Amino acid sequence: MVEQQQNKNEELYNVEELRQYLLEGNIESFRESFLELHPYDQAQFYEKVGPDIRKTIYQFLSPQEMALIFEAIELEDEEYEQFLKEMDTVYGAEMLSYMYTDDAVDVLNELDDEHRESYLEIMDSETVEEINELLAYEEYTAGAIMTKEYVSILENSTVRSAMTVLRNEAPNAETIYYVFVVDENHCLTGVISLRDLIISDEDTLIKDIMNERVVYVKVSDDQEDIAQIMKDYNFLAIPVVNESNKLIGIITVDDIIDVIDEEASDDYSKLAGVTDIDDIEASPFKAATKRLPWLIMLLFLGMITATLMGQFEETLDKVALLALFIPLISGTSGNSGTQALAVAVRGIATGEIDEKSKMKMLLREVLTGLITGIVCGLIVVGIIFVWKHTLVVGLLVGAAISCSILVATIAGSFIPLLIHKLGVDPAVASGPFITTLNDVTSILIYLGLATTFLGQLS
Amino acid sequence: MVEQQQNKNEELYNVEELRQYLLEGNIESFRESFLELHPYDQAQFYEKVGPDIRKTIYQFLSPQEMALIFEAIELEDEEYEQFLKEMDTVYGAEMLSYMYTDDAVDVLNELDDEHRESYLEIMDSETVEEINELLAYEEYTAGAIMTKEYVSILENSTVRSAMTVLRNEAPNAETIYYVFVVDENHCLTGVISLRDLIISDEDTLIKDIMNERVVYVKVSDDQEDIAQIMKDYNFLAIPVVNESNKLIGIITVDDIIDVIDEEASDDYSKLAGVTDIDDIEASPFKAATKRLPWLIMLLFLGMITATLMGQFEETLDKVALLALFIPLISGTSGNSGTQALAVAVRGIATGEIDEKSKMKMLLREVLTGLITGIVCGLIVVGIIFVWKHTLVVGLLVGAAISCSILVATIAGSFIPLLIHKLGVDPAVASGPFITTLNDVTSILIYLGLATTFLGQLS
């Protein structure tokens, strides 16, 4: 697939040719070839050519044309600042005002205050007002990802006038496939799809054919919950209302895809104990800085394990054989804890685990822990008996593994539920954290049992 | 948010009232209230009422109305079979033929061969042909997720005739927001959006306004690659062509969202060592069955660790203090390996790591491993010196931790790249697997160093 796509892109446009036009200053040929491309391909080219050639692009394209590229581009956070600094401030400000408000806000959010102000000072007051409104919303809420470019009409309009509004708004609106219906106070009262509009008689009143059971979100709603609703209902866009039910924006499916991606990466990276997964382009120093806090925190936790084990130094001194199974026991308990954790964190994130199903799930995990613990314990007794011909050590290790798996499975599901209850994202109970905690308990169980039955061992 | 949504749903429909209508056999009131709901809400109600009440629903709703519910429903794999068995076979077959082909195929895929055949025998031959075509495509390819319900027109049509086609197809097509343009051989030549159609003059020829640079995918392309393209280009739908460039289907954004979700869950569950994360509703036995293969495999790997450690029993026997730091060292190396693994697997999945950037990434990881290793090593030397007042053991443990982190970081990034190169999904190099491998190497490094410098220790 990737290959086919690359070949296709080569057919679609010739990078070298475009670059040549820019170097030669051949504005006409460049515009002719370049403006035919999909904004995403334009953005790919723009991003890769380097700052010198980009300077020529700014001369060859209008701020409005550049706005399309910036809507399609996907940059590292700090690159937005860098790319904008290459442009003339007036050109940049004009480009930003041509962008959809939500995309412009995303870019402006990456700039330092002073740099951002320099643009807002030049832009026209209406746009600045819209942008400031969005900038004020908290991150990860509906307000922060919504756009102001939607199509709305009054309930008493006809299909004909709705189509006229649509045609006029088509070049600017982010989606024209839903028209949102409002009353004279701009309160949301319904929705109608373009699909329904084109099959309706032109003289029909909107309020007679609109869907009154419109699903909406509030401006302060969490983006993850909104993603869930749009996934469930298969919406292409969802309206956003304020506290007084006034329509103030919409969220489109493309932004929701980004949210889903982001949240999944987020859960994933937390399970792995890295604060930010997207550091493939980062320098080794930056990568190390991101990973070290976790590693060091876990080092200290590991030291606690060592301290606690110190209590059993005497036992270990007497039966060195015991030490051989420490990695096995802590590893197995860590693994089963991570499994339970993953199921719980994912279940909470997708909303499948709620207040009602919580106890049921905990009980389920207790039983699962019992079953997996007993099975693994028996296997271990068998292996050690065959290998070391000792039943006592085998039984000891088997019992320790069974207990550890049970405890780890319960901890892996209970801790995220507890953290969630406290209002914190359960993904912070990350994999390495649970693993290290389970290390401690499993080794305590093991060496505790060993010390108790020390007489039988030697 | 969730609360608001629940309140809203209560406003939207009264579950008890609907249930009452069904129990009373009040078909008119039920249909009036129920058919007003969004199919997703209908599906939620349908799914929850239980088999007895569902039997009444089948009497009250036509197969066509039931088809909408089945398109919106999200069930566990085995529940499809169970729900279909509640219906009359003819009713079920008719419902399946009213569904979008891709959704019908998803349902049919969950049935056993005999059960599936019983439906295909009754359905009309045209639908069966389409269904069989889709059933034949390999899972996770474009063919398996595409739908046949798209709108296509000939290049030489006018905007007016295109709009007429759209109006006629609107009730059946999965999306009418893109019209795909084909030549007389049904080869794909362009695309035009409904947005462009409604702002164009009615007498314009389609070929004059269509976008000829249409991005398409091949029927055998992998669904993850397609998701990437749709994300990049923000498409609502993408056309699928066969080997001879004939248009044979489309993939819509709602299916792509499911793919993104599925793939993210997949990577996540593999990192945690569970084959299938969605087992919140599963019984403890089923959950245990899913987790045990991993746990047992890792038990055997852990036994290898124990065997290798057996080589150093003498060293451990002499200096029991050494055993205290085994969990610390293996834990830290496991953690840093998982971090590197997560970055690599995610990078490969999102396409950010390709042939070119591979070596750069490996080099980056080597340096990151060096930095994190040295920092953690120094911290450990410090802690052990303060705690145990021994520099020798501290240096030994510190050196072992530094080496282990370096090796684990390299392994965590190199192994997924290697597996990917061999054409296997890199996520199979899951967290617990890498962790256990790193256990082995880190302990070998530690006890190897300890045995070498044994003279200094005692």
Side-chain angles (χ1 to χ4, degrees), chain B residues 84-188:
Chain B
L84 273 173
K85 282 203 167 139
E86 295 171 5
M87 300 175 199
D88 184 78
T89 315
V90 178
Y91 183 96
E94 211 175 327
M95 178 192 83
L96 286 166
S97 46
Y98 276 116
M99 289 172 70
Y100 291 127
T101 339
D102 57 340
D103 294 323
V105 166
D106 286 346
V107 175
L108 287 167
N109 259 327
E110 302 302 340
L111 310 183
D112 59 49
D113 289 354
E114 201 189 326
H115 193 187
R116 180 164 53 231
E117 274 312 311
S118 69
Y119 291 116
L120 294 178
E121 272 166 24
I122 317 176
M123 291 161 82
D124 74 280
S125 58
E126 201 190 328
T127 317
V128 171
E129 205 177 300
E130 284 186 1
I131 287 177
N132 276 331
E133 185 193 327
L134 295 197
L135 278 172
Y137 292 116
E138 252 184 285
E139 236 187 328
Y140 313 122
T141 64
I145 55 170
M146 74 183 184
T147 182
K148 310 290 287 180
E149 285 89 355
Y150 55 86
V151 184
S152 67
I153 45 167
L154 287 166
E155 299 174 299
N156 287 323
S157 324
T158 58
V159 168
R160 183 181 294 112
S161 64
M163 287 300 288
T164 310
V165 172
L166 269 187
R167 284 193 189 95
N168 293 335
E169 297 284 332
N172 300 315
E174 191 153 349
T175 182
I176 60 159
Y177 300 133
Y178 291 124
V179 178
F180 299 96
V181 189
V182 291
D183 63 17
E184 50 294 337
N185 298 319
H186 210 71
C187 286
L188 182 69

Side-chain angles (χ1 to χ4, degrees), chain B residues 192-222:
Chain B
I192 184 159
S193 68
L194 179 51
R195 190 191 277 246
D196 290 332
L197 280 177
I198 66 165
I199 56 170
S200 299
D201 185 87
E202 295 219 306
D203 292 315
T204 318
L205 283 181
I206 292 297
K207 68 174 174 194
D208 293 335
I209 51 167
M210 74 182 188
N211 181 356
E212 288 170 40
R213 298 175 173 279
V214 48
V215 178
Y216 57 87
V217 295
K218 293 225 169 94
V219 67
S220 55
D221 285 346
D222 185 84

Side-chain angles (χ1 to χ4, degrees), chain A residues 1 12 170 195 213 221 273 339, chain B residues 1 12 170 195 213 273 339:
Chain A
M1 175 62 225
L12 282 177
R195 190 192 279 246
R213 296 175 174 280
D221 285 345
Q339 291 180 330
Chain B
M1 174 61 223
L12 281 178
R195 190 191 277 246
R213 298 175 173 279
Q339 291 180 330

Side-chain angles (χ1 to χ4, degrees), chain A residues 35 294 411:
Chain A
L35 292 178
W294 263 116

Side-chain angles (χ1 to χ4, degrees), chain B residues 229-266:
Chain B
I229 295 173
M230 289 193 62
K231 245 187 316 192
D232 286 341
Y233 286 90
N234 285 341
F235 287 143
L236 299 179
I238 197 165
V240 183
V241 300
N242 66 10
E243 308 70 43
S244 35
N245 202 31
K246 281 200 175 115
L247 179 63
I248 55 169
I250 61 165
I251 296 170
T252 49
V253 70
D254 53 312
D255 297 317
I256 284 304
I257 289 184
D258 294 340
V259 168
I260 293 172
D261 238 26
E262 206 179 284
E263 301 276 354
S265 271
D266 205 41

Side-chain angles (χ1 to χ4, degrees), chain A residues 101-234:
Chain A
T101 339
D102 57 341
D103 294 323
V105 166
D106 286 345
V107 174
L108 287 167
N109 258 326
E110 302 303 338
L111 309 182
D112 59 50
D113 291 354
E114 201 188 328
H115 193 186
R116 180 164 52 234
E117 273 312 312
S118 69
Y119 290 117
L120 293 178
E121 273 167 22
I122 317 176
M123 290 160 80
D124 74 276
S125 59
E126 201 190 329
T127 317
V128 171
E129 206 177 300
E130 284 187 358
I131 287 178
N132 277 332
E133 185 193 328
L134 295 197
L135 278 173
Y137 292 116
E138 249 184 286
E139 234 187 328
Y140 312 121
T141 64
I145 57 171
M146 73 182 186
T147 180
K148 310 290 284 178
E149 285 89 357
Y150 55 86
V151 183
S152 66
I153 46 167
L154 287 167
E155 300 174 297
N156 287 323
S157 324
T158 59
V159 169
R160 182 181 297 110
S161 65
M163 288 300 289
T164 309
V165 172
L166 270 187
R167 284 195 190 93
N168 293 336
E169 296 285 332
N172 299 317
E174 191 155 347
T175 181
I176 59 157
Y177 299 135
Y178 293 125
V179 178
F180 299 96
V181 188
V182 291
D183 63 17
E184 51 293 337
N185 296 320
H186 211 72
C187 286
L188 181 69
T189 59
V191 65
I192 185 160
S193 68
L194 180 50
R195 190 192 279 246
D196 291 331
L197 282 177
I198 65 164
I199 57 171
S200 300
D201 184 86
E202 295 220 304
D203 292 315
T204 318
L205 283 180
I206 292 297
K207 67 173 173 195
D208 293 334
I209 51 167
M210 74 182 187
N211 182 357
E212 288 171 38
R213 296 175 174 280
V214 49
V215 178
Y216 58 85
V217 295
K218 293 226 170 93
V219 68
S220 56
D221 285 345
D222 185 84
Q223 61 176 11
E224 205 167 349
D225 297 322
I226 300 166
Q228 193 58 46
I229 295 174
M230 289 193 66
K231 246 189 315 194
D232 287 341
Y233 287 90
N234 286 341

Side-chain angles (χ1 to χ4, degrees), chain A residues 57 64 69-70 75 88-89 111 179 199 213 239 280 318 355 381 433:
Chain A
I57 297 184
Q64 191 169 3
I69 298 180
F70 255 68
L75 297 173
D88 184 81
T89 315
L111 309 182
V179 178
I199 57 171
R213 296 175 174 280
I280 287 157
K318 283 190 190 140
E355 279 304 315
V381 176
F433 184 68

